[in-house]
Amino acid sequence: MGRPVRIGIDVGGTFTKAVLLDDDTHEIIGQAVVPTTHTAEAGVARGVIEAFRRALDAAHITAADVVFIAHSTTQATNALLEGDVAPVGVIGMGRGAVESRLARSQTVIGDIELAAGRVISPIHAFVRSDELGAEAVRAAVQAVRSQGARVIVASDAFSVDDARAEEQVMAAARELGLPATGGHEISKLYGLTIRTRTAVINASILPKMIETVRLTHEAVRTAGITAPLMIMRGDGGVIDLAEVQRRPVLTMLSGPAASVAGALMYLRVSDGVFFEVGGTSTNIGVIRGGRPTMAFAEVGGHRTYIGSLDVRVLGIAGGSMVRVANDRIADVGPRSAHIAGLPYAAFQPLEGMVDPELELVQPKPGDPRDYVAVRFADGRRVAITTTDAANVLGVVKPGDYSYGDPEAARRAMAALAARVGLSPEDTARRILDVAVGKIIPTIERLVEEYRLDRDQITLVGGGGGACALIPYAAKTLGLEYRIAQNAEVISSIGVALALVRDSVERVMPNARPEDLLAIRAEAREAAIRAGAHPGTVQVHIEVNPQTQRVRATAWGATEMRTRNLRHVLGADEACEIAAKSLRVPAAEVRLAGQTSGHYVFTADVEERSMWVFRSTRHPVRVLDRGGFIKAQRADALVSQTTAGQALDELRRLWGMATSYDGNGVIPPDAYLVLSGQVVDLSGIMAVDHALSVGASELAGCGPTEAVVLVAARRVQVRR
């Protein structure tokens, strides 16, 4: 083997982008962009193959050098949006006379609207799971097949605890040549209706995804690549083809997930708001504790148990066009220059850009005719976009992906400026004010929902249009910002560097340490089945005492990536990173604790209020040995201890950081810093639950192993 490389491919709605990374340094050594091949006989697989072949050829890399290949996909999302789904038959099941009546009603879920005029209309049959015989199961499957079902969902009221009934139905369906899925494969949560609905959505795209996976796999093998092909999940991890063929619904929203994964690999960000800014839309999500925040996706307005990034999608981006009404700038977007078939002004050659005339256009039939275009003497027509406004104002700099020719943008802007009675610069400023005004309310909502400390927030931008909007938004809000390196291909980078990920979620009233150990082991095994190497798997456990839900999330590297690929930082290098984040000189930063895998730094920051009263707070940064900030707090307690003493120390710090208000007790946010991971206990309301989670995480540690505890008073939501 020559130079080992990793390939990440982001399959977007318009373009498929491939990036080659050096497996040791993560340096980009090749890339290629091709149109996404939605209509090809092999579907998007053709574009995937063409993209990575071009990238390999350009970098003079052979297929034998590829140690990892993965791609994101729009297939699942597009299939649902376009109604390209298979008819689904649901075999509902329940035990006993009373329970069966309830289970029958809860597995008849009705139509699931996907888009205007596009629905999934499940066909339903019901059998008693306590009277389940081979003939009854076969008859039920044949009944729904005779009504048109081409894929089967088995949904038993008790499958969370015992999946045998569902597995029997799935086996019968496959004997009859029908793909099948069971509710227990999708979720371990109670809630039969939601679990059945999620399984139906998964089943509806099974045939299409199985065929897509087959075509992509064959193409990769034909190209001579022997590394396992992985697919991006909507929660930021990757899974192998076998898992995609079982649970394709997990790949929904894998594009935004890829962007966040890439940014987290390139930027040392613990808490922030992430933006993937494209040409037409912007995806906005939260990074908290070094991880993207998660939520259950909705399909057609219906709640599901599909875990994905909590992403808010806005119709404003780098290519958003300006709209004019009554000689004033009325709006920006939602249509983009791409939709209207017009180029950006800033990317046009200056020659011939004279005598600009304003025109109002209709990007698509049915749209209002109030979108701005400019025609020049040579007949060219261009759009005026947020990117053009950013070029006029110098918001984008040479070297930025969005940087074009500011003079070309200014010449086009002059025509609009004349209409609205402003200078070109003030017109550009007005455009960005309107555009950013659409983004700021979403930022504010996310800050409130996730209790982010405003003093610790960084706006993180990815995507080709990031430089056009994020710097201006950050300036408006008075926040710091960072644009990801290679922002225009950050999604492809995220795919190439993604880890295998899986999670298990259960309802566990009064979870005991042994319950947490069991779900931890289950999540670990799920990640290994999905392609993670056992020696690299880490597990994070979250307990929600209000809903009594416990979620165990496991992640790890693939077989080809079992070694630590990051440079290991010494304490002095890590201190410099912490000092920059804390915004104090390195000499004022002290090492408050460390484990074999992490450093914990703090400082003393004196503050005044009312110009008289003085107080001192102790901000904290937890860094891993790769220099990535895993947790940060504006004021916290830190204790260096051992695994044998950690639970007693956790109880002590918990009491010290607990606060009170008129509504009662406010528990702290706490972190258990181990050698291999940072266990985030924030959000847990009771110390006993925190101790149970802590005990499960400490189970594999020796009694003298170094552990650091961090506890902070909980930030209250500002109203």
Side-chain angles (χ1 to χ4, degrees):
M1 179 180 287
R3 184 182 192 181
V5 299
R6 304 174 68 84
I7 301 179
I9 305 168
D10 179 46
V11 183
T14 305
F15 294 106
T16 295
K17 300 178 181 179
V19 167
L20 267 62
L21 300 181
D22 183 283
D23 191 40
D24 290 311
T25 66
H26 298 176
E27 172 193 0
I28 294 179
I29 56 177
Q31 55 184 290
V33 180
V34 302
T36 299
T37 53
H38 293 293
T39 59
E41 184 177 347
V44 298
R46 177 178 171 182
V48 169
I49 301 308
E50 185 178 350
F52 83 67
R53 277 181 169 162
R54 287 191 187 182
L56 288 174
D57 290 344
H60 305 292
I61 298 292
T62 67
D65 296 326
V66 178
V67 297
F68 178 89
I69 179 169
H71 71 82
S72 68
T73 178
T74 59
Q75 285 291 93
T77 304
N78 289 347
L80 292 170
L81 291 176
E82 296 165 9
D84 187 9
V85 294
V88 178
V90 177
I91 310 299
M93 288 171 282
R95 303 172 190 169
V98 176
E99 289 87 350
S100 289
R101 282 197 295 271
L102 182 60
R104 183 188 295 270
S105 65
Q106 290 181 340
T107 54
V108 179
I109 58 172
D111 290 350
I112 302 173
E113 184 176 1
L114 304 174
R118 297 181 174 92
V119 298
I120 302 173
S121 300
I123 304 156
H124 187 266
F126 190 85
V127 292
R128 287 270 296 268
S129 55
D130 53 348
E131 299 176 355
L132 212 57
E135 290 186 9
V137 170
R138 189 178 181 88
V141 174
Q142 288 176 326
V144 295
R145 184 175 68 169
S146 67
Q147 297 176 63
R150 294 294 173 265
V151 60
I152 300 299
V153 164
S155 187
D156 177 30
F158 301 95
S159 67
V160 169
D161 303 309
D162 185 352
R164 286 177 295 179
E166 289 187 353
E167 289 169 346
Q168 187 174 346
V169 171
M170 293 165 63
R174 288 165 182 154
E175 287 176 5
L176 292 169
L178 298 177
T181 190
H184 73 280
E185 293 185 313
I186 306 301
S187 175
K188 301 295 186 181
L189 288 176
Y190 296 113
L192 182 56
T193 298
I194 299 176
R195 198 166 67 245
T196 304
R197 181 186 300 130
T198 308
V200 166
I201 294 168
N202 184 71
S204 72
I205 58 176
L206 262 178
K208 184 178 184 67
M209 291 297 288
I210 288 173
E211 179 64 9
T212 297
V213 165
R214 182 186 66 80
L215 290 169
T216 308
H217 177 72
E218 289 177 356
V220 167
R221 292 294 174 260
T222 301
I225 293 177
T226 58
L229 174 63
M230 311 294 283
I231 310 297
M232 197 81 186
R233 290 170 53 131
D235 61 7
V238 290
I239 50 178
D240 63 15
L241 298 188
E243 281 297 299
V244 175
Q245 290 179 315
R246 274 199 328 129
R247 300 184 291 170
V249 75
L250 297 181
T251 66
M252 284 179 58
L253 299 175
S254 64
S259 293
V260 176
L264 288 175
M265 286 290 180
Y266 265 39
L267 301 174
R268 296 182 173 100
V269 175
S270 177
D271 291 355
V273 180
F274 178 80
F275 301 79
E276 182 198 23
V277 186
T280 301
S281 63
T282 294
N283 299 308
I284 305 178
V286 167
I287 298 169
R288 194 168 188 269
R291 294 186 300 272
T293 54
M294 309 299 296
F296 287 130
E298 290 192 359
V299 176
H302 297 291
R303 188 172 169 225
T304 73
Y305 284 152
I306 303 165
S308 66
L309 266 67
D310 185 6
V311 174
R312 317 295 164 89
V313 183
L314 301 181
I316 192 77
S320 296
M321 295 176 66
V322 180
R323 301 170 67 180
V324 169
N326 300 322
D327 295 336
R328 65 180 181 85
I329 295 172
D331 203 356
V332 179
R335 295 300 188 203
S336 67
H338 312 77
I339 298 297
L342 295 171
Y344 297 27
F347 301 130
Q348 291 295 294
L350 273 175
E351 185 180 356
M353 293 184 75
V354 296
D355 300 329
E357 293 185 9
L358 195 74
E359 295 184 355
L360 298 182
V361 300
Q362 186 182 33
K364 294 186 71 173
D367 288 345
R369 191 177 291 277
D370 60 2
Y371 288 85
V372 170
V374 175
R375 184 185 294 274
F376 291 99
D378 60 3
R380 275 183 294 164
R381 287 202 314 167
V382 300
I384 294 181
T385 67
T386 55
T387 296
D388 298 314
N391 273 273
V392 169
L393 292 177
V395 172
V396 290
K397 308 297 182 185
D400 291 343
Y401 188 76
S402 298
Y403 184 78
D405 187 332
E407 179 57 30
R410 188 174 289 104
R411 290 187 186 183
M413 195 69 69
L416 176 59
R419 169 69 69 91
V420 299
L422 298 171
S423 68
E425 289 73 21
D426 285 342
T427 302
R429 194 169 292 109
R430 171 61 181 162
I431 291 169
L432 291 185
D433 284 341
V434 172
V436 167
K438 292 184 169 185
I439 294 173
I440 288 175
T442 299
I443 298 174
E444 299 284 4
R445 280 195 298 273
L446 289 170
V447 168
E448 181 174 302
E449 286 179 30
Y450 287 101
R451 299 186 295 111
L452 298 178
D453 189 327
R454 197 173 289 270
D455 293 336
Q456 311 297 311
I457 297 172
T458 301
L459 302 188
V460 182
C467 296
L469 291 178
I470 304 309
Y472 199 86
K475 182 179 179 181
T476 303
L477 289 167
L479 297 174
E480 290 193 348
Y481 77 91
R482 299 173 72 179
I483 303 298
Q485 184 182 358
N486 301 301
E488 67 278 8
V489 290
I490 197 67
S491 293
S492 301
I493 293 169
V495 176
L497 298 177
L499 299 174
V500 178
R501 177 187 175 107
D502 213 329
S503 62
V504 177
E505 193 162 0
R506 290 186 183 277
V507 175
M508 288 184 172
N510 303 313
R512 300 165 299 173
E514 55 264 36
D515 298 325
L516 299 176
L517 284 172
I519 193 173
R520 176 192 178 93
E522 186 176 351
R524 183 177 185 277
E525 289 304 312
I528 292 169
R529 284 198 308 273
H533 188 277
T536 68
V537 176
Q538 298 181 26
V539 183
H540 173 67
I541 296 179
E542 303 166 78
V543 178
N544 187 323
Q546 282 94 2
T547 62
Q548 298 183 327
R549 287 181 181 171
V550 179
R551 177 191 295 160
T553 302
W555 64 94
T558 60
E559 188 94 28
M560 294 289 186
R561 189 178 161 84
T562 59
R563 65 192 184 282
N564 183 1
L565 296 178
R566 292 192 301 228
H567 169 62
V568 177
L569 270 67
D572 290 343
E573 290 178 283
C575 182
E576 292 288 343
I577 295 171
K580 184 176 181 181
S581 175
L582 291 164
R583 301 173 196 172
V584 299
E588 297 179 14
V589 177
R590 66 180 182 275
L591 182 63
Q594 63 179 309
T595 70
S596 61
H598 294 89
Y599 298 108
V600 181
F601 293 98
T602 188
D604 300 328
V605 177
E606 188 176 275
E607 295 179 334
R608 291 188 178 187
S609 58
M610 306 294 293
W611 301 99
V612 176
F613 301 104
R614 293 186 179 184
S615 62
T616 302
R617 62 181 177 89
H618 308 284
V620 170
R621 297 293 185 270
V622 180
L623 279 73
D624 67 16
R625 298 288 172 128
F628 284 70
I629 297 173
K630 308 304 291 186
Q632 60 180 18
R633 298 307 299 240
D635 191 14
L637 304 170
V638 179
S639 175
Q640 175 83 62
T641 185
T642 63
Q645 300 295 320
L647 294 182
D648 289 338
E649 189 64 3
L650 173 58
R651 186 183 290 276
R652 186 181 75 83
L653 256 62
W654 188 281
M656 292 177 64
T658 296
S659 55
Y660 305 86
D661 66 6
N663 297 318
V665 176
I666 304 171
D669 289 338
Y671 304 86
L672 189 64
V673 184
L674 307 178
S675 61
Q677 64 176 315
V678 176
V679 182
D680 186 354
L681 302 174
S682 58
I684 293 179
M685 302 299 292
V687 66
D688 288 342
H689 277 110
L691 291 170
S692 292
V693 174
S696 71
E697 298 291 350
L698 290 164
C701 301
T704 61
E705 184 173 324
V707 172
V708 181
L709 292 166
V710 178
R713 292 180 183 271
R714 186 164 294 180
V715 176
Q716 295 303 291
V717 176
R718 298 182 177 95
R719 299 289 183 184

